[in-house]
Amino acid sequence: ANPGAFVCIHETSSDGFDFKTAMEGYAKAGIKAVEPTLVKVQEFAQKESVAAAKRLLDDMGLKAVSSSAGLLGLMEPGPLRAKSMEDLKGRLELAKAIGVDRMVTPSTGVGPYTEDDFKKGVDYMREIAEIAKPYGITLLLEFTRAGRFAGSLATALKLVRETNHPNYQPMIDIYHFWGGVSKFEDLDLLRDGELAHLHFEDVPAEPIRELQGQTDRVFPGQGIAPLKRIVQMLKKKKYSGPASIEMFGPKFQKMEPFEFARMARAAMEPIIA
């Protein structure tokens, strides 16, 4: 059976609140799957403990299906990599402790890059997949619309396939997919069951695409992305997993987490049903 996608909330959406408040709000709105921000989990754990963070999720009936490492430049050659490598094991440890088995690694580097850099990038990806392996965590390559290393689904798939490691898998963020240089037809490139995670938002009509930034994302159904068609295509490609809404921008991040989760569910459920 292929149950398809289910509603999940990325904690970035409630960045104005602490871990406990966000998780309690989501649970109260009937959410079952969450994507905690490890930096927020860490802040909570410093006051209480990592075990208390896991207990909080369990008590609320929440499953942490993925997490945001908050580390940039792990895959692409550049100045951010050394620091991110230093922090990687700590993040993997924390993710594992709260029951997470996948972690998003976004590619945001703008280069310029050479063909050699892409070869080096594949070696880097293999190296960090090896580091993630003993933790039982799969890394997810997130291409981003303004990125020049992995800026499209086609390139992300090529990189992940060349890395050829069970602990590195591709994911899609709809905002980056539809708002960037990818094409709807690129979804045809996915092998059955290959997609490992999905961030689910909409791309607005205004401002013009070239002026858009992360904070311009809108709720699913309020923008111009053909979300129903995308969902059908992903189902055909045997995707079954979270549709995790990740919103930026103060109007979302300052909204009561319960209120945000309620609105997110109402917007998403008819589209992914």
Side-chain angles (χ1 to χ4, degrees):
N2 173 24
F6 52 83
V7 174
C8 172
I9 297 192
H10 193 306
E11 196 187 351
T12 290
S13 307
S14 301
D15 202 50
F17 297 85
D18 61 23
F19 173 69
K20 184 171 190 282
T21 310
M23 296 305 131
E24 286 174 348
Y26 299 165
K28 192 177 150 197
I31 298 291
K32 299 274 177 257
V34 289
E35 195 166 352
T37 310
L38 292 176
V39 174
K40 294 277 188 184
V41 177
Q42 186 96 53
E43 286 166 6
F44 175 85
Q46 276 160 357
K47 292 191 198 111
E48 312 251 346
S49 68
V50 176
K54 173 77 172 99
R55 224 173 19 249
L56 176 77
L57 291 167
D58 292 344
D59 291 350
M60 297 281 148
L62 295 170
K63 168 87 181 101
V65 292
S66 168
S67 68
S68 157
L71 302 175
L72 298 177
L74 282 167
M75 299 75 60
E76 58 266 48
L80 299 174
R81 187 162 198 267
K83 173 81 178 92
S84 287
M85 287 298 284
E86 265 173 49
D87 296 338
L88 180 61
K89 281 187 174 162
R91 299 284 160 91
L92 287 163
E93 218 162 277
L94 187 58
K96 183 181 183 201
I98 60 166
V100 163
D101 68 355
R102 48 200 63 190
M103 195 157 91
V104 177
T105 61
S107 175
T108 58
V110 290
Y113 299 109
T114 62
E115 284 199 19
D116 272 355
D117 288 328
F118 282 89
K119 291 193 184 85
K120 206 182 283 177
V122 167
D123 291 338
Y124 286 168
M125 285 170 67
R126 208 169 290 136
E127 180 191 356
I128 59 178
E130 263 311 296
I131 294 171
K133 195 176 169 181
Y135 295 92
I137 289 176
T138 298
L139 300 175
L140 303 162
L141 177 58
E142 181 178 36
F143 62 91
T144 59
R145 65 192 285 275
R148 300 304 298 256
F149 184 75
S152 68
L153 176 58
T155 302
L157 291 176
K158 180 176 156 57
L159 290 166
V160 167
R161 288 168 186 173
E162 283 175 8
T163 300
N164 193 21
H165 193 292
N167 292 73
Y168 231 126
Q169 301 293 335
M171 65 164 286
I172 291 174
D173 179 304
I174 302 279
Y175 173 75
H176 294 302
F177 174 71
W178 200 256
V181 296
S182 301
K183 312 280 179 281
F184 181 83
E185 288 71 19
D186 292 346
L187 296 171
D188 276 330
L189 301 170
L190 284 166
R191 296 170 183 157
D192 286 358
E194 186 177 23
L195 190 69
H197 193 53
L198 179 66
H199 283 169
F200 200 73
E201 322 79 21
D202 214 334
V203 179
E206 298 289 331
I208 61 166
R209 231 173 274 191
E210 288 77 359
L211 292 177
Q212 282 177 27
Q214 295 277 43
T215 57
D216 293 304
R217 299 168 176 226
V218 289
F219 268 138
Q222 293 179 359
I224 55 171
L227 296 176
K228 278 212 150 122
R229 264 176 73 211
I230 292 171
V231 166
Q232 277 164 349
M233 185 65 166
L234 294 179
K235 195 165 171 141
K236 209 173 99 183
K237 292 290 182 175
K238 306 275 186 282
Y239 179 67
S240 143
S244 184
I245 185 167
E246 181 189 24
M247 300 300 272
F248 293 81
K251 79 166 180 207
F252 299 110
Q253 293 180 333
K254 290 186 169 139
M255 197 184 284
E256 259 322 312
F258 165 71
E259 200 46 39
F260 176 85
R262 210 179 51 80
M263 286 175 68
R265 265 189 79 178
M268 291 164 81
E269 281 173 347
I271 298 171
I272 62 177

